[in-house]
Amino acid sequence: MRLSTRGKYGLYAMHYLAQHENDGPQSLSHIADIGVPKQYLEQLLGGLRRSGLIRSVRGVNGGYQIAKPSSEITVLDILDAMEGPLELSDCIANGRCCSKAPQCRVRDMWEKLTDTINHELNSVTLKDML
Amino acid sequence: MRLSTRGKYGLYAMHYLAQHENDGPQSLSHIADIGVPKQYLEQLLGGLRRSGLIRSVRGVNGGYQIAKPSSEITVLDILDAMEGPLELSDCIANGRCCSKAPQCRVRDMWEKLTDTINHELNSVTLKDML
DNA sequence: TTGATACCCGACCAGAATACTATGGTATCA
DNA sequence: TGATACCATAGTATTCTGGTCGGGTATCAA
């Protein structure tokens, strides 16, 4: 089980923007200096914007900035925006379980683990990582 | 972030074998009744065997059985065998971090989360799920 | 000894996802 | 008006997933 680069890059970009929380909009080129291909990063930032985590300013001297204080943005917010919700098993995800549900202990384990991970991710804010 | 079917199928197969812990070897055909393509399952069982989690018996009346008591096999053992170790970020996985390590808080977060997940997975045994 | 059973193993393959790249826009402001 | 910088969609090479296929080998019963 491995996280995709989307999640990683998104987190790094948000980390950068949190560092410049009060410095006005940061241009794509500047953010890309963290080591992400510029055009690919542009896509990812689009997703973060559509999720309401960042704002963009167009035109000269434009760029991106976080839409909320860094203390109100969690790692879970970012990963959900970049990768969609955590769905360990389609048994959990879409309710299409095997015939043995609901007394299936394997399913119980998936659910518990999903909760644990989400809780952990939601307990860390961007501010915590500065 | 989604688990692959390898992990899921492996877990279901091990669950089946744990249920028949004392019934002698279970043939591939029987195990496949849990709803996994037979030839694909054969590959997965090969991996479980090479990881030392199950034993196989060849020939007539042969099959597979767990190599240790179900109380000594954890979900982590099975997922590691099926999917390789949990490597959320290659920053953690192979030590090839960006230039800012070791004072990188993002990295710290990955490490902590990895530990949490592994600990949770390791705390559930096959026996717990019977 | 022979044949049926059942595991072993590597190669192959189609489709989906990942990680980009390319191109042509549109908004803003000096 | 033109340079800057975001917006959006399409294309693409590579890898991963989820299998299938075919030909083995070990064991045992008849």
Side-chain angles (χ1 to χ4, degrees):
Chain A
M1 191 164 58
R2 192 160 211 157
L3 210 67
S4 72
T5 60
R6 293 178 63 85
K8 194 178 66 168
Y9 288 169
L11 195 56
Y12 288 158
M14 290 298 286
H15 183 254
Y16 180 93
L17 291 179
Q19 284 178 317
H20 297 87
E21 190 164 358
N22 303 312
D23 302 345
Q26 302 293 309
S27 75
L28 177 64
S29 300
H30 273 88
I31 308 173
D33 286 342
I34 58 178
V36 182
K38 208 168 142 182
Q39 288 175 313
Y40 188 39
L41 180 60
E42 198 170 7
Q43 278 181 32
L44 305 185
L45 289 172
L48 290 169
R49 181 179 49 80
R50 280 185 289 276
S51 296
L53 297 179
I54 62 176
R55 260 195 304 265
S56 63
V57 179
R58 300 177 76 153
V60 179
N61 294 322
Y64 300 89
Q65 50 196 334
I66 55 180
K68 294 184 282 189
S70 60
S71 59
E72 294 175 22
I73 298 176
T74 71
V75 174
L76 181 64
D77 293 331
I78 299 165
L79 293 184
D80 276 356
M82 291 286 87
E83 318 217 5
L86 175 64
E87 296 176 341
L88 290 180
S89 167
D90 47 7
C91 173
I92 304 290
N94 52 31
R96 294 185 54 237
C97 300
C98 57
S99 53
K100 292 134 201 160
Q103 81 271 33
C104 173
R105 292 293 184 85
V106 181
R107 183 193 156 87
D108 291 345
M109 195 269 302
W110 292 137
E111 269 185 339
K112 191 177 164 212
L113 180 61
T114 302
D115 287 347
T116 301
I117 296 176
N118 280 331
H119 183 264
E120 177 98 7
L121 290 174
N122 205 38
S123 72
V124 183
T125 70
L126 265 187
K127 191 173 185 184
D128 294 331
M129 291 197 293
L130 291 182
Chain B
M1 192 165 58
R2 191 159 210 158
L3 210 66
S4 71
T5 60
R6 292 178 63 83
K8 195 178 67 168
Y9 288 168
L11 196 55
Y12 288 159
M14 290 298 286
H15 183 255
Y16 179 93
L17 291 179
Q19 284 178 318
H20 297 86
E21 191 165 357
N22 303 311
D23 302 346
Q26 302 293 309
S27 75
L28 178 64
S29 299
H30 272 90
I31 308 172
D33 286 342
I34 58 178
V36 182
K38 210 168 141 182
Q39 289 176 312
Y40 188 40
L41 180 61
E42 197 170 7
Q43 277 182 35
L44 305 185
L45 290 172
L48 291 169
R49 181 179 50 80
R50 280 185 289 277
S51 296
L53 297 178
I54 62 176
R55 261 195 304 266
S56 63
V57 179
R58 300 177 75 156
V60 180
N61 292 321
Y64 301 89
Q65 50 195 331
I66 56 180
K68 294 184 282 188
S70 60
S71 58
E72 294 175 21
I73 298 176
T74 71
V75 174
L76 181 65
D77 293 331
I78 299 165
L79 293 184
D80 276 356
M82 290 287 88
E83 318 218 4
L86 175 64
E87 296 176 342
L88 291 179
S89 166
D90 47 7
C91 173
I92 304 289
N94 52 31
R96 294 185 54 235
C97 299
C98 58
S99 53
K100 292 135 202 158
Q103 81 270 35
C104 172
R105 293 294 184 86
V106 180
R107 184 193 156 87
D108 291 346
M109 194 270 301
W110 290 139
E111 271 186 337
K112 190 177 165 213
L113 180 61
T114 302
D115 286 348
T116 302
I117 296 176
N118 280 331
H119 182 266
E120 178 97 7
L121 290 174
N122 205 37
S123 71
V124 183
T125 69
L126 264 186
K127 192 173 183 184
D128 294 332
M129 291 195 295
L130 290 182

